[in-house]
Amino acid sequence: MKKEAVSIIGGADGPTSIFIAGKWKSPGKRSLKERIRQRIYKYRRKRAEKKICAAPHTLKEVIADAKKKYHAVEMPKTGREYMEQYISAREGLIIMQKPELLGSLAEIAQPDVLNEETAKEIFRQIQLRREALARIPDGEMPMDFHIYEIRLKDGWMGIQIDFKWDMFEVSYSGNKKAMKHMKRIAKELYMYYGVSGEDIQNKTKRYLSLLAVLSQ
């Protein structure tokens, strides 16, 4: 049975995501189908903006709700999958919250033209940054990281939480039917987490994350 996967919020940094996608097109080279999708997304985004109102909940309340409604369970911290996601989350948090620890490697510029030489240079910088990230002591980036799982017959959802940094990310995978169900659950979780009036006013990451989910 064919499986699909989607990551709602978060993921690889900009340069890495370019190569994961496998395509890098300038706006003028987008196909008609891509341009239509972009217009639909913009319409949905404007509609979602009007629906968002202040009704925030804490991350602990979100997890309690996920356990009660969807039987979410915490992933053991000793497993390989947890450690891989922990490392990825740590790298992302350092880049976002403490970029000064990386110096000139905090930002990797995207070149105007993508060719073999620029691709090699981007990958070289990414590797250098990962090595620098691995050398940063845990004391410089204290975390309270947890992963909670929701399992269906043909689907899986992972909820990444860091209580110290207010990190909330969701990813899921499965067949087409399970993906539809998981998408609904993810939307409900983000809506329950919600935003404050200050988030709306300042267009914080929390607000933009909710907006992105509601625009899908």
Side-chain angles (χ1 to χ4, degrees):
M1 190 172 292
K2 185 178 179 181
K3 285 196 172 184
E4 300 177 7
V6 64
S7 190
I8 299 294
I9 301 296
D13 56 63
T16 305
S17 63
I18 292 169
F19 296 99
I20 290 175
K23 295 181 180 180
W24 192 6
K25 296 181 180 180
S26 63
K29 294 183 179 180
R30 290 177 185 151
S31 67
L32 176 61
K33 189 175 182 179
E34 289 172 328
R35 292 199 298 271
I36 291 173
R37 284 179 178 175
Q38 187 179 43
R39 289 179 182 177
I40 292 173
Y41 176 80
K42 287 182 178 180
Y43 168 76
R44 289 177 176 173
R45 187 181 177 92
K46 288 182 179 179
R47 188 174 60 178
E49 285 179 330
K50 297 178 181 179
K51 294 182 178 180
I52 295 177
C53 58
H57 290 87
T58 66
L59 288 175
K60 289 185 178 180
E61 288 174 325
V62 172
I63 293 305
D65 187 64
K67 288 179 177 179
K68 181 180 179 180
K69 289 184 179 178
Y70 311 115
H71 310 290
V73 296
E74 184 166 3
M75 180 185 293
K77 294 184 178 182
T78 54
R80 177 181 175 182
E81 187 173 353
Y82 171 88
M83 290 306 303
E84 289 177 349
Q85 294 195 47
Y86 167 81
I87 292 171
S88 178
R90 182 177 184 271
E91 291 178 350
L93 284 171
I94 291 173
I95 293 169
M96 288 188 296
Q97 302 291 345
K98 292 191 175 184
E100 66 275 8
L101 296 176
L102 292 168
S104 62
L105 292 171
E107 292 188 18
I108 298 177
Q110 297 181 13
D112 295 331
V113 178
L114 182 62
N115 54 38
E116 185 176 354
E117 290 303 315
T118 57
K120 286 180 179 179
E121 177 58 22
I122 289 175
F123 277 120
R124 187 185 73 83
Q125 291 184 51
I126 290 172
Q127 184 58 37
L128 287 174
R129 185 163 73 180
R130 285 178 175 164
E131 292 171 0
L133 285 162
R135 292 194 296 269
I136 295 174
D138 289 340
E140 294 285 347
M141 192 65 199
M143 295 173 62
D144 187 8
F145 183 72
H146 303 260
I147 302 176
Y148 299 87
E149 298 178 288
I150 297 175
R151 293 189 178 274
L152 297 179
K153 181 180 179 181
D154 295 306
W156 174 91
M157 174 177 285
I159 306 169
Q160 295 186 0
I161 298 284
D162 191 277
F163 292 107
K164 182 174 180 59
W165 297 99
D166 292 327
M167 171 186 164
F168 177 52
E169 298 182 358
V170 176
S171 60
Y172 50 86
S173 62
N175 61 21
K176 189 173 182 179
K177 183 178 180 180
M179 288 284 285
K180 186 176 181 180
H181 190 182
M182 289 294 188
K183 182 178 180 179
R184 178 180 60 79
I185 293 175
K187 185 176 180 179
E188 289 177 1
L189 290 173
Y190 272 97
M191 290 178 66
Y192 184 74
Y193 185 37
V195 292
S196 66
E198 184 179 353
D199 288 318
I200 297 173
Q201 182 177 355
N202 297 328
K203 290 184 169 47
T204 63
K205 183 178 182 294
R206 180 168 174 170
Y207 168 80
L208 293 174
S209 297
L210 175 59
L211 181 59
V213 172
L214 295 180
S215 301
Q216 291 184 357

